[in-house]
Amino acid sequence: MITTSLSIARTSRVPGAMRVPSCARPCARSTRSGAETPRNAGEPHRARHLRAAVPLQRHDPQRPRAGPARVASSGSTRMTLVGVDWGSSNLRAYRFGPDGAVIDRRESPRGAARLKRDEFPQVLADTLDGWLEADTRVVLAGMVGARAGWHEAPYLPCPADPAGLAAAALRAEDAPAHCFIVPGLSARSASGVANVMRGEETQILGSGLADGTIVLPGTHSKWARVEGGRITGFSTIMTGEMYALLRNNSLLGQLAEGDAPDEAAFTLGAQRALDNPAGVLPLLFSARADVLLGSLAPQAVASYLSGLLIGGEVAAMRDAAGQGVVLICNAVLAAHYRVALALAAVTDVAVVDGADAVARGLWRIGGLLK
Amino acid sequence: MITTSLSIARTSRVPGAMRVPSCARPCARSTRSGAETPRNAGEPHRARHLRAAVPLQRHDPQRPRAGPARVASSGSTRMTLVGVDWGSSNLRAYRFGPDGAVIDRRESPRGAARLKRDEFPQVLADTLDGWLEADTRVVLAGMVGARAGWHEAPYLPCPADPAGLAAAALRAEDAPAHCFIVPGLSARSASGVANVMRGEETQILGSGLADGTIVLPGTHSKWARVEGGRITGFSTIMTGEMYALLRNNSLLGQLAEGDAPDEAAFTLGAQRALDNPAGVLPLLFSARADVLLGSLAPQAVASYLSGLLIGGEVAAMRDAAGQGVVLICNAVLAAHYRVALALAAVTDVAVVDGADAVARGLWRIGGLLK
């Protein structure tokens, strides 16, 4: 089940785009972002309190579905840490050295939304085969902790800090090692509007938690506020999902031809979204009308629509941006958000790679586990 | 092909909801609204100039696909008028008395999007069978005039008045009578944002063309400005289509259970959309987050989402509403828009039935044909 196994010596820098497809549109960082998977959504909660300590199990050939990973032969007894970003569609595992550097990395397509509850232990054992020592702790973040995942780790309300997240981590007893599932976060605005995230909280921790606004573009973009080392609240904009729905399922997208990037069309869309005081809603249909009137090439529709939506996201959240933002995403998406943010006069933009951030966040929580 | 044949003596009032499903959500007035159908979208324009006069054809058994309707036996030679609202999914035909009252009405499921180009004459002949006299004029509006319809009647740019629409009507020579296809309208905002409509222009004419804002809620809601008897411009909000996409195709809708109306949830959604200065985009995800946090019943999600979207439409267009609006739609949709408009302090709301409006608009254009 292991699709990639890279040795990355003495650095947590993971090259390339791990969480975002290399396209010019907001077509999702990961389908797990902030969205509970619907499978078994109606199933009653279970396993809310699974903290009974369970020793590392030894391999037993009679229990292939829930057996442990093969324990590394080093025989070392020092504490080691493994981090797992287990989203809906795949999982990414990081093996940390004693200083927090990522010394090995693996990926598997066996995402949380594709597994039955009792399949999680074996998938984890397969993925981490050879990495586990007697006292290895495994920190898991993402949809693995959703209601329809392995065990539900209930949302922790904001404000939340790293120690709070570590304290609320859920220990899974049916695991091939000392496994802790990081909870998601919830927030509610002053007017009562609810938000949830699951996985992004770990990336935000990994970004350093400097005061300001952290933006995680994607299927469900998150705009989080960080104050005094805590995540104090956040908003969600369904930019990536809206793009996919409008491009692929709507009457709007039926005149579009292809998805080749068109920078001018993207910028035009973003500029219009930022200029229009009534917001992006009255602009979306122009992606179709302009084609019918011959003033937009069908080949430019996808980028124009992407510009409208990312511009609309930035316009809606411009007040939250304040002096600047930290973007957590890959380079392609960051370039597009930079364009829209610059049009909104937000030029103080730092970029943190999403895979980097999640690895550092997992390490940070792992160090705080009691 | 005739599914309904009602005699409605001396009145153009058509009872019940003709154009809107009886549901509490913006699930489309008609799929034709303002949206060119994609079929044959790439086909070159043709038949742009078809005004050569063609006498009414007599029935010829050798030409079953394009033959004429049976001419009514009255033998009258006075001018008579038939109006046809030919949308994507169905057509509705109105037979007018000499004073403009609808004296008979028929419907067919053979909408423009379901027909090949050469099928239109026979469908029209079947539908109007027995209605046509030697000098009967047939006025057709809607997607029948789209690029992928029978013959393309190019968009007429705003500002446009009834005489301009009548003058631009396209005569179809391959028709079972003197057939005129009403063009759609186009508009472009000061900042260059394009809009098109096809069919709604006839409803707006039929609503009386009083100065003010005319709102046609639906798949692609139109907000049109009328000044001095002319349609001077309009905007499009994809409220109905967005509702359907989010309810049926998105992660958002997967936690929803059923579509039973919930007035409180609708009002909550509309109020939030109107209260939020950042617009509706940062609110949509709350339809999911509130369910995951246990603060919204899955049974209320559909109405809450409808409230968010209709409230978001009204919020985006509040400046256009000014002192009041005329709604062209059925009673159920009107009730919902009244709620959202009242929350936005727009209480001067008149309602015109959509079927009424299109019949009166067809009559008005018919009287202006040269």
Side-chain angles (χ1 to χ4, degrees), chain A residues 115-180:
Chain A
L115 300 177
K116 295 176 183 159
R117 201 175 299 272
D118 62 4
E119 294 176 313
F120 283 85
Q122 188 63 48
V123 170
L124 192 63
D126 290 344
T127 305
L128 305 186
D129 187 42
W131 281 10
L132 301 180
E133 299 174 9
D135 58 356
T136 300
R137 284 176 166 174
V138 180
V139 184
L140 305 101
M143 295 308 284
V144 63
R147 194 170 302 172
W150 185 6
H151 297 298
E152 183 178 10
Y155 295 106
L156 190 67
C158 286
D161 62 13
L165 278 163
L170 192 75
R171 181 148 176 197
E173 62 177 316
D174 55 338
H178 304 285
C179 282
F180 297 85

Side-chain angles (χ1 to χ4, degrees), chain B residues 257-319:
Chain B
E257 292 179 10
D259 293 280
D262 182 321
E263 285 184 32
F266 177 88
T267 303
L268 174 65
Q271 184 72 63
R272 283 183 171 173
L274 284 155
D275 284 349
N276 198 305
V280 73
L281 288 184
L283 299 177
L284 293 173
F285 187 72
S286 68
R288 185 167 178 81
D290 261 321
V291 173
L292 288 168
L293 296 176
S295 41
L296 185 71
Q299 297 79 8
V301 167
S303 287
Y304 176 68
L305 183 56
S306 174
L308 284 178
L309 288 167
I310 291 178
E313 176 183 335
V314 170
M317 302 306 294
R318 182 158 29 189
D319 288 348

Side-chain angles (χ1 to χ4, degrees), chain B residues 83-353:
Chain B
V84 178
D85 174 24
W86 205 331
S88 292
S89 49
N90 49 39
L91 74 85
R92 297 178 177 102
Y94 305 89
R95 187 184 191 189
F96 296 104
D99 59 352
V102 174
I103 56 174
D104 203 354
R105 195 187 100 183
R106 292 173 177 168
E107 290 188 30
S108 160
R110 306 205 67 184
R114 300 172 180 181
L115 300 177
K116 295 177 183 158
R117 200 176 299 273
D118 61 5
E119 293 177 314
F120 282 86
Q122 188 64 46
V123 170
L124 193 63
D126 289 345
T127 304
L128 304 186
D129 187 42
W131 281 10
L132 301 178
E133 300 174 8
D135 58 355
T136 300
R137 284 177 165 174
V138 181
V139 183
L140 304 101
M143 295 307 285
V144 62
R147 195 171 301 170
W150 186 5
H151 297 297
E152 183 178 9
Y155 295 107
L156 191 66
C158 286
D161 62 12
L165 279 163
L170 193 75
R171 183 151 175 192
E173 61 177 315
D174 55 337
H178 305 286
C179 281
F180 298 85
I181 301 174
V182 179
L185 293 186
S186 65
R188 199 171 282 278
S189 75
S191 59
V193 176
N195 268 291
V196 293
M197 63 167 62
R198 202 177 275 286
E200 292 93 340
E201 74 294 326
T202 302
Q203 291 181 295
I204 295 170
L205 257 60
S207 76
L209 282 184
D211 279 13
T213 298
I214 316 282
V215 183
L216 300 101
T219 303
H220 297 159
S221 293
K222 303 294 183 187
W223 288 62
R225 292 171 291 288
V226 173
E227 298 166 87
R230 304 186 307 170
I231 302 170
T232 55
F234 59 93
S235 296
T236 304
I237 321 264
M238 300 174 58
T239 304
E241 185 169 1
M242 294 259 288
Y243 173 80
L245 289 170
L246 292 172
R247 171 70 185 87
N248 302 324
N249 299 107
S250 79
L251 285 171
L252 202 67
Q254 289 179 348
L255 293 176
E257 292 179 10
D259 293 280
D262 182 321
E263 285 184 32
F266 177 88
T267 303
L268 174 65
Q271 184 72 63
R272 283 183 171 173
L274 284 155
D275 284 349
N276 198 305
V280 73
L281 288 184
L283 299 177
L284 293 173
F285 187 72
S286 68
R288 185 167 178 81
D290 261 321
V291 173
L292 288 168
L293 296 176
S295 41
L296 185 71
Q299 297 79 8
V301 167
S303 287
Y304 176 68
L305 183 56
S306 174
L308 284 178
L309 288 167
I310 291 178
E313 176 183 335
V314 170
M317 302 306 294
R318 182 158 29 189
D319 288 348
Q323 297 302 305
V325 299
V326 174
L327 291 174
I328 303 181
C329 59
N330 75 349
V332 173
L333 211 45
H336 282 80
Y337 273 75
R338 274 186 191 279
V339 169
L341 287 162
L343 293 173
V346 180
T347 52
D348 182 9
V349 179
V351 179
V352 176
D353 179 83

Side-chain angles (χ1 to χ4, degrees), chain A:
Chain A
M1 284 300 121
I2 310 299
T3 57
T4 311
S5 181
L6 301 172
S7 287
I8 303 169
R10 316 308 294 171
T11 171
S12 63
R13 180 73 195 172
V14 180
M18 284 188 63
R19 307 179 62 85
V20 194
S22 291
C23 70
R25 281 149 297 284
C27 45
R29 180 177 62 256
S30 154
T31 56
R32 70 153 174 73
S33 302
E36 292 274 26
T37 45
R39 180 169 60 78
N40 300 333
E43 190 172 324
H45 293 205
R46 47 173 236 181
R48 294 183 79 103
H49 303 287
L50 302 166
R51 289 178 163 279
V54 175
L56 181 65
Q57 296 166 318
R58 293 267 154 202
H59 182 60
D60 176 358
Q62 301 306 308
R63 299 179 58 212
R65 299 301 303 158
R70 180 170 57 79
V71 172
S73 57
S74 72
S76 166
T77 56
R78 63 182 163 74
M79 173 80 78
T80 60
L81 190 71
V82 168
V84 178
D85 175 24
W86 204 332
S88 291
S89 49
N90 48 41
L91 74 84
R92 296 175 178 105
Y94 306 88
R95 187 183 191 190
F96 296 103
D99 59 352
V102 174
I103 56 173
D104 203 355
R105 195 187 101 181
R106 292 174 179 169
E107 291 188 29
S108 160
R110 305 203 69 184
R114 300 172 180 179
L115 300 177
K116 295 176 183 159
R117 201 175 299 272
D118 62 4
E119 294 176 313
F120 283 85
Q122 188 63 48
V123 170
L124 192 63
D126 290 344
T127 305
L128 305 186
D129 187 42
W131 281 10
L132 301 180
E133 299 174 9
D135 58 356
T136 300
R137 284 176 166 174
V138 180
V139 184
L140 305 101
M143 295 308 284
V144 63
R147 194 170 302 172
W150 185 6
H151 297 298
E152 183 178 10
Y155 295 106
L156 190 67
C158 286
D161 62 13
L165 278 163
L170 192 75
R171 181 148 176 197
E173 62 177 316
D174 55 338
H178 304 285
C179 282
F180 297 85
I181 301 175
V182 180
L185 293 186
S186 65
R188 199 170 283 278
S189 74
S191 59
V193 176
N195 268 292
V196 293
M197 63 167 64
R198 202 177 274 288
E200 293 93 341
E201 73 294 326
T202 302
Q203 292 181 295
I204 295 169
L205 257 60
S207 76
L209 281 183
D211 280 13
T213 298
I214 316 280
V215 182
L216 300 100
T219 303
H220 297 158
S221 293
K222 304 293 182 187
W223 288 62
R225 292 170 291 289
V226 173
E227 298 167 86
R230 304 185 308 168
I231 302 170
T232 55
F234 59 94
S235 296
T236 305
I237 320 263
M238 302 174 56
T239 303
E241 185 169 359
M242 293 261 288
Y243 174 80
L245 289 170
L246 292 171
R247 170 70 185 85
N248 301 324
N249 299 108
S250 78
L251 285 172
L252 202 68
Q254 290 179 346
L255 293 176
E257 291 179 13
D259 293 279
D262 182 321
E263 286 184 32
F266 177 88
T267 303
L268 174 65
Q271 184 72 64
R272 283 184 171 174
L274 284 156
D275 285 348
N276 198 306
V280 73
L281 288 184
L283 300 178
L284 293 174
F285 186 73
S286 67
R288 184 167 178 81
D290 261 321
V291 173
L292 288 168
L293 295 176
S295 40
L296 185 70
Q299 296 80 6
V301 166
S303 287
Y304 176 68
L305 183 56
S306 174
L308 284 177
L309 288 167
I310 291 179
E313 175 183 336
V314 171
M317 302 306 292
R318 181 159 29 187
D319 289 348
Q323 298 304 305
V325 300
V326 174
L327 291 174
I328 302 181
C329 59
N330 75 349
V332 173
L333 211 46
H336 281 81
Y337 274 74
R338 275 187 190 279
V339 170
L341 287 162
L343 293 173
V346 181
T347 52
D348 183 8
V349 179
V351 180
V352 176
D353 179 83
D356 247 14
V358 78
R360 288 203 294 263
L362 289 163
W363 168 259
R364 183 158 185 187
I365 294 174
L368 293 167
L369 291 171
K370 297 266 165 65

